[in-house]
Amino acid sequence: MKIYHSLEDFTCLSNAVVTSGTFDGVHVGHQKILHRLKEIASKNNGETVVITFWPHPQMVIHPENHSLKLLNTFDEKASLLKAEGIQHLLRIEFTKEFSHIGSLDFIQKILVEGIGTKKLVIGYDHRFGHNREGSFEQLKLNAANYGFEVEEIPRQDVDHVGVSSSKIRQALENADIETATHFLGRPYMLTGQVVEGDRLGRELGYPTANIEVDSRYKLIPADGIYAVTLAYENEIFKGMLYIGPRPTVNGSKKVIEVNIFDFNKDIYGDKVTLYFHRLLRGDKKFDSLDLLKLQLSVDKEETLKVLETITFAKS
């Protein structure tokens, strides 16, 4: 998959089959659009193009609202779209200036002149352009003039799966990993850099890798202990993950740390990706480190049982 970080980097195609949107999560609803995109391209010898916007438009239009957390970083989203078999990913920087572009200018300058769109596929109720003025009806009216066809994924096709990015966010905030996995069509992913910790896990016999995530916008699931798998250098490892402030040692700062099973490598400074499979338990303050250590042994046994039942393929 080719990634373009501006329209200027994109070379106009002769037969582009295009969709656009934020695609946060690349969930099963998004996948319906992407599968249709690939189907059309395959039948018509076209090339698939996804236009996405970064930062998320709501973060630019409403900068005072810090409540929105995203399911994907841009790199995570790109890796998911690549796994879906998309050929071209165009990232358009969403700015205040861009938010004022009219819908007709969006069609002419981006879809027609910039990309060479021959077929546009959108989800139902898709809006675009300044104040979301552009619509499927407007696209249909203008499509013939601009030389492309437009297709809307029917409402019932998307509603059938009952999914939305907001439902997934709510599930993760409630530690409902099963619901999030169902709507995503895969385990929730969290990518971060391994940083130095205080080595308390090593003292307890469960050494952990501390993960630093840009949580200004990336959604971190609820505090607790999770059964996870971890991708590192094209290998998959099993582990148990802790998210929380470590109340047993009177911690105040939330940490994300993973005990990776059967692993003994120095990975400080490296990036890893975690995949959430199940919540084992919520966070809890123990009366002593010895009691915490006993609980960790139970957690590890439970984690291994959970992961034995899961067939996992890395995206």
Side-chain angles (χ1 to χ4, degrees), residues 2-294:
K2 295 181 180 178
I3 301 176
Y4 311 84
H5 291 276
S6 72
L7 187 61
E8 290 71 31
D9 294 338
F10 196 95
T11 301
C12 196
L13 301 173
S14 61
N15 190 10
V17 184
V18 182
T19 190
S20 73
T22 54
F23 290 96
D24 189 32
V26 194
H27 56 59
V28 293
H30 296 141
Q31 290 163 34
K32 281 186 169 286
I33 298 171
L34 299 174
H35 293 168
R36 181 58 182 150
L37 196 74
K38 291 185 292 182
E39 184 179 40
I40 294 168
S42 178
K43 288 179 179 177
N44 297 280
N45 198 28
E47 295 181 64
T48 54
V49 181
V50 170
I51 304 169
T52 193
F53 309 98
W54 194 265
H56 192 287
Q58 290 301 314
M59 294 183 165
V60 175
I61 296 169
H62 301 290
E64 74 287 350
N65 183 359
H66 301 289
S67 64
L68 177 63
K69 296 293 184 179
L70 301 184
L71 300 173
N72 295 139
T73 64
F74 177 77
D75 288 343
E76 289 171 347
K77 185 192 302 188
S79 111
L80 292 171
L81 291 169
K82 180 180 179 180
E84 288 290 333
I86 298 304
Q87 294 167 287
H88 303 272
L89 174 60
L90 171 58
R91 165 180 162 162
I92 292 179
E93 183 181 3
F94 197 91
T95 61
K96 288 256 181 158
E97 183 182 9
F98 182 82
S99 74
H100 290 102
I101 187 172
S103 56
L104 292 177
D105 279 343
F106 181 87
I107 295 170
Q108 178 66 45
K109 294 178 180 177
I110 296 176
L111 295 180
V112 178
E113 296 173 4
I115 296 174
T117 303
K118 290 296 182 287
K119 184 79 178 243
L120 180 68
V121 180
I122 58 173
Y124 82 89
D125 199 30
H126 178 76
R127 314 292 294 191
F128 63 97
H130 184 53
N131 289 330
R132 294 168 53 85
E133 65 188 16
S135 64
F136 174 68
E137 289 72 23
Q138 182 189 20
L139 283 165
K140 288 269 295 184
L141 286 172
N142 288 279
N145 297 332
Y146 291 127
F148 64 77
E149 298 177 16
V150 60
E151 177 178 320
E152 184 181 48
I153 301 297
R155 180 178 190 131
Q156 62 267 25
D157 284 7
V158 179
D159 280 357
H160 172 69
V161 296
V163 64
S164 69
S165 296
S166 59
K167 284 184 180 179
I168 298 168
R169 293 185 192 109
Q170 185 177 36
L172 291 168
E173 287 166 353
N174 292 327
D176 184 355
I177 300 302
E178 287 83 356
T179 295
T181 301
H182 174 69
F183 284 153
L184 286 167
R186 74 181 80 80
Y188 183 62
M189 67 195 301
L190 189 70
T191 302
Q193 186 178 40
V194 179
V195 297
E196 287 272 6
D198 61 10
R199 300 180 183 270
L200 175 63
R202 190 175 299 277
E203 291 178 28
L204 294 171
Y206 296 90
T208 59
N210 284 62
I211 312 299
E212 187 175 81
V213 176
D214 189 348
S215 56
R216 289 173 300 169
Y217 58 86
K218 171 71 176 181
L219 190 150
I220 308 300
D223 292 357
I225 303 285
Y226 295 88
V228 299
T229 44
L230 177 142
Y232 175 70
E233 292 188 342
N234 295 316
E235 288 188 73
I236 299 296
F237 301 91
K238 298 177 180 180
M240 57 182 181
L241 177 77
Y242 170 72
I243 299 174
R246 302 195 302 179
T248 301
V249 293
N250 297 316
S252 57
K253 179 185 176 183
K254 179 178 290 197
V255 299
I256 303 169
E257 51 187 20
V258 58
N259 173 232
I260 313 169
F261 303 159
D262 303 318
F263 187 88
N264 188 25
K265 293 181 181 179
D266 182 352
I267 57 174
Y268 288 122
D270 293 348
K271 280 196 172 181
V272 297
T273 299
L274 299 164
Y275 297 89
F276 289 71
H277 296 287
R278 191 175 302 170
L279 174 74
L280 300 176
R281 61 177 174 85
D283 199 5
K284 177 183 176 182
K285 182 173 182 175
F286 292 87
D287 292 334
S288 70
L289 289 179
D290 285 339
L291 288 173
L292 172 57
K293 187 174 179 179
L294 282 172

